[in-house]
Amino acid sequence: MSDVSQGSDPPQWQFALDGKNGVLEAAEFNVPPVTIDNWSARGSIIPRRGFIDLTEFRLSGGVGEATIKATTQAGPQGQSVTAEFNVSPMPLATLKALWPRAVASGTRDWVGKNVSAVNFKGGTLRYTNSNVGGIEPGSVSTEMERVGASFEASDAVFTPLPGMPAITAPNMSIRINDNVLDIAVLYAPKLLPGFRVELLQEEQLVLVRAHGSENAGDEKKSYVYVDWGPLFAAQHEASSAAVGESGLLIGLGPLALSYILRAGGMGYFRRSSVASHIARGELELVEGAPEFTYPAYAVYPENNDGRPDVQDALDGLKEVVG
């Protein structure tokens, strides 16, 4: 560390730290410890003013990486914190373990307790708290906490509120503004009181196979059934003669696609998710196979209806998918 203060200013210490190894735990969420591969921290401290500027804290481990930028300042109302938390795609257990207790602790607690499965694709969380309290479990104050976030995920299973049934969302894009959910993009959502559902796009599920699978023996035994929800199940059952009985059932679309690309076979996938693989010659459409509708909806709280920013976001989503 080095003192970079000038003149009569109080001491200001700059730091640059690096390390390897270590373990992070989130035992309260019943997830295994995550081994830290490496970490680094850059910033400055003014002890007399109770000020810390964390220019960047980078942490990698458990097949994921998290970056935090934060400032904390002591004041008459307590210790305030402003932070931005960026995370790469990672397994849910890694996300729960890497998420610092002092960063958006209320949101962290909700995700830790209510999200039971997700293919997390990364995102950004912005956080302020004018009186953070402590950092140990039970000591962090959330009364003055404000959270904004934008992230993408697929194959999510979560319970929105206590006593409600779990919701399964094959694909979702979520935006939170000042602790309030603005818009979530879901495929085949369940209707919930207090939320408005608006159709964005009707995507198609198409049958594709890996090149060479048609010559691998009994083609019907190479069929992988992907669980796209109850609507697909009903449509599929009515047309099952086209593909016969499945030799394998996989509940996660990305996992099933990865399996077919590696081991061969065929299955139903969203046309947009396989377009690049078809273009590269890795997959091909099965001619004459039935196609199924897979609609995408925007879901947002009814009390946000009429807000100009929400309407602008809806218009932008429709333009992107249109």
Side-chain angles (χ1 to χ4, degrees):
M1 297 181 68
S2 59
D3 184 2
V4 296
S5 61
Q6 298 180 353
S8 60
D9 291 341
Q12 178 177 348
W13 298 94
Q14 281 190 340
F15 60 87
L17 307 173
D18 297 277
K20 294 182 179 180
N21 303 324
V23 173
L24 285 176
E25 296 184 344
E28 66 271 34
F29 302 141
N30 195 31
V31 295
V34 170
T35 300
I36 300 171
D37 297 325
N38 55 73
W39 62 269
S40 62
R42 307 284 185 272
S44 60
I45 304 173
I46 306 178
R48 188 179 300 178
R49 294 176 178 171
F51 176 80
I52 301 174
D53 178 19
L54 187 61
T55 307
E56 181 183 78
F57 178 73
R58 187 179 297 273
L59 181 68
S60 17
V63 200
E65 182 175 276
T67 304
I68 303 171
K69 299 178 181 180
T71 58
T72 177
Q73 173 71 65
Q77 304 301 320
Q79 193 80 16
S80 65
V81 174
T82 300
E84 182 174 291
F85 183 44
N86 291 282
V87 286
S88 70
M90 64 181 65
L92 177 61
T94 301
L95 175 64
K96 292 181 179 182
L98 288 186
W99 194 324
R101 288 188 173 92
V103 176
S105 57
T107 305
R108 174 185 180 272
D109 189 60
W110 185 89
V111 171
K113 294 178 179 178
N114 295 284
V115 180
S116 56
V118 71
N119 175 22
F120 184 71
K121 299 180 180 180
T124 300
L125 183 144
R126 296 163 301 281
Y127 161 80
T128 63
N129 191 333
S130 57
N131 183 11
V132 71
I135 62 172
E136 295 301 319
S139 66
V140 178
S141 171
T142 61
E143 292 181 4
M144 307 300 291
E145 190 174 278
R146 293 293 179 268
V147 176
S150 176
F151 57 89
E152 306 290 327
S154 64
D155 303 305
V157 180
F158 61 96
T159 304
L161 296 171
M164 293 182 63
I167 291 178
T168 299
N171 284 275
M172 61 193 303
S173 174
I174 291 182
R175 194 180 79 185
I176 298 173
N177 182 26
D178 197 17
N179 295 359
V180 177
L181 174 68
D182 277 354
I183 297 176
V185 178
L186 305 177
Y187 289 84
K190 294 183 179 179
L191 296 179
L192 298 174
F195 287 85
R196 189 176 298 280
V197 177
E198 188 167 332
L199 179 66
L200 289 177
Q201 179 192 43
E202 286 195 342
E203 196 161 11
Q204 294 298 113
L205 293 172
V206 295
L207 185 63
V208 296
R209 65 185 168 209
H211 274 298
S213 295
E214 70 276 16
N215 300 318
D218 189 344
E219 186 173 282
K220 291 187 176 181
K221 289 184 179 180
S222 69
Y223 175 60
V224 177
Y225 179 88
V226 186
D227 185 3
W228 292 106
L231 177 60
F232 170 74
Q235 294 175 326
H236 183 274
E237 184 177 358
S239 306
S240 59
V243 292
E245 294 296 325
S246 169
L248 180 65
L249 186 151
I250 299 180
L252 301 179
L255 178 60
L257 181 57
S258 176
Y259 172 83
I260 287 177
L261 289 170
R262 184 177 66 253
M266 63 180 183
Y268 274 96
F269 298 94
R270 291 181 296 115
R271 185 185 294 274
S272 62
S273 70
V274 297
S276 61
H277 298 288
I278 294 174
R280 291 194 295 266
E282 299 168 342
L283 298 173
E284 61 184 4
L285 290 168
V286 177
E287 292 186 12
E291 299 182 0
F292 305 115
T293 300
Y294 195 56
Y297 299 89
V299 182
Y300 57 95
E302 288 181 346
N303 55 13
N304 285 352
D305 196 18
R307 273 178 41 187
D309 58 335
V310 171
Q311 191 57 53
D312 289 344
L314 285 171
D315 292 341
L317 286 170
K318 291 175 181 178
E319 183 176 343
V320 168
V321 303

